[in-house]
Amino acid sequence: MPTQDNRGSNPPLDEVYRRPREQIVDFAFDESVAEVFQDMIRRSVPGYETVVACTGLIAARYLPAGGTCYDLGCSLGASSHAVLRAVGERDCRVVAIDGSEAMIERARALATGEGRIEWLVGDIRQVEMHSAHVVMLNFVLQFLPLEDRLPLLTRIREALVPDGVLLLAEKLAASPEVEEVHLDFKRANGYSELEIAQKRTALENVMRIDSLEAHDERLTAAGFGEVETWFRCLNWGAMIARP
């Protein structure tokens, strides 16, 4: 059992967009982002730590000894570690996959002493999944092309065991007022107007968000029989989908 999570006590500060840039390129999960990702996501996503911790607790209810959990788009593996903290000494397997080699390299470096996680670099739209008790898809679908989302969810549904579960968290389309409060959240966490504006520009072409209703409809179309929203904070939410 790991003695600490993979976030570290003093993660490097996110200063990726602190200085003015003549040209803003599309956001990418490269080495510069991987280095500061722990700080970036905590200061950018309301309720992030609650979502990660509760994802682990929920997953632990469905992950038996000998079971398999897939963490798709795992970034630095926060959800993977949350699951293993929740299951304690239970002998189970977590397959953590991300398309960013920089993310996986840093995740491996941070995951000292935990041998139950298998770290893989790969396209989550193509990875093979079998007999999955839990699949986690946290803050990932929003970065995939719209046409790839239903096929991926359908593959996940087909890979789940009959009593398995999908745990999904996403940024959600919301009213202008809620969007503005989210910006206030970033300001309260120390981001400047320049940082907020430059990052927003960088995300314009790579982050496409859906409404909660669109997520419900897509999950139903993928074959899930029960979909429940278990967390909502401003324009961020988390869902559980069962066959």
Side-chain angles (χ1 to χ4, degrees):
M1 180 178 178
T3 57
Q4 60 183 23
D5 65 25
N6 74 322
R7 291 172 294 173
S9 55
N10 294 296
L13 293 179
D14 172 21
E15 298 180 341
V16 172
Y17 294 101
R18 176 160 293 187
R19 296 175 180 80
R21 299 187 178 192
E22 293 184 3
Q23 181 179 8
I24 307 296
V25 299
D26 286 349
F27 184 87
F29 293 96
D30 55 19
E31 291 182 4
S32 65
V33 170
E35 179 69 20
V36 301
F37 186 73
Q38 297 156 302
D39 182 62
M40 175 184 287
I41 196 165
R42 283 190 284 179
R43 293 167 62 198
S44 301
V45 178
Y48 169 72
E49 292 180 323
T50 297
V51 168
V52 169
C54 288
T55 292
L57 294 174
I58 296 170
R61 298 175 62 87
Y62 292 86
L63 188 59
T68 299
C69 170
Y70 289 88
D71 187 358
L72 303 183
C74 65
S75 63
L76 301 185
S79 296
S80 294
H81 286 278
V83 171
L84 295 181
R85 286 195 299 274
V87 301
E89 299 293 341
R90 193 181 309 162
D91 182 21
C92 53
R93 172 173 172 252
V94 176
V95 182
I97 307 160
D98 200 279
S100 167
E101 186 173 352
M103 282 288 192
I104 291 296
E105 286 182 358
R106 182 150 179 79
R108 285 195 182 110
L110 292 168
T112 57
E114 179 51 79
R116 290 175 292 179
I117 303 177
E118 180 182 358
W119 302 102
L120 299 176
V121 178
D123 189 335
I124 63 170
R125 295 167 293 184
Q126 299 176 1
V127 67
E128 293 188 8
M129 294 177 286
H130 305 283
S131 302
H133 292 83
V134 179
V135 176
M136 301 184 295
L137 198 62
N138 285 338
F139 314 113
V140 175
L141 210 61
Q142 60 206 27
F143 290 105
L144 296 183
L146 290 172
E147 62 271 19
D148 291 347
R149 298 179 186 184
L150 179 56
L152 173 61
L153 292 175
T154 302
R155 289 184 63 245
I156 291 171
R157 168 63 186 88
E158 293 171 349
L160 286 172
V161 299
D163 57 349
V165 67
L166 166 65
L167 299 174
L168 171 71
E170 288 280 290
K171 185 176 183 180
L172 304 171
S175 69
E177 181 178 9
V178 169
E179 293 282 356
E180 190 60 37
V181 176
H182 178 219
L183 296 182
D184 288 340
F185 175 84
K186 290 186 174 184
R187 295 177 183 115
N189 280 322
Y191 283 120
S192 68
E193 297 302 321
L194 176 65
E195 289 174 290
I196 292 171
Q198 291 192 142
K199 187 176 181 182
R200 176 189 285 172
T201 299
L203 286 168
E204 280 179 350
N205 296 323
V206 297
M207 187 178 185
R208 307 287 186 180
I209 60 176
D210 289 313
S211 66
L212 183 60
E213 292 73 20
H215 281 292
D216 286 342
E217 291 173 4
R218 188 183 292 119
L219 287 163
T220 299
F224 289 93
E226 182 181 354
V227 180
E228 179 181 359
T229 300
W230 62 266
F231 177 87
R232 180 74 186 262
C233 183
L234 300 178
N235 48 349
W236 298 83
M239 291 147 271
I240 179 170
R242 302 178 182 88

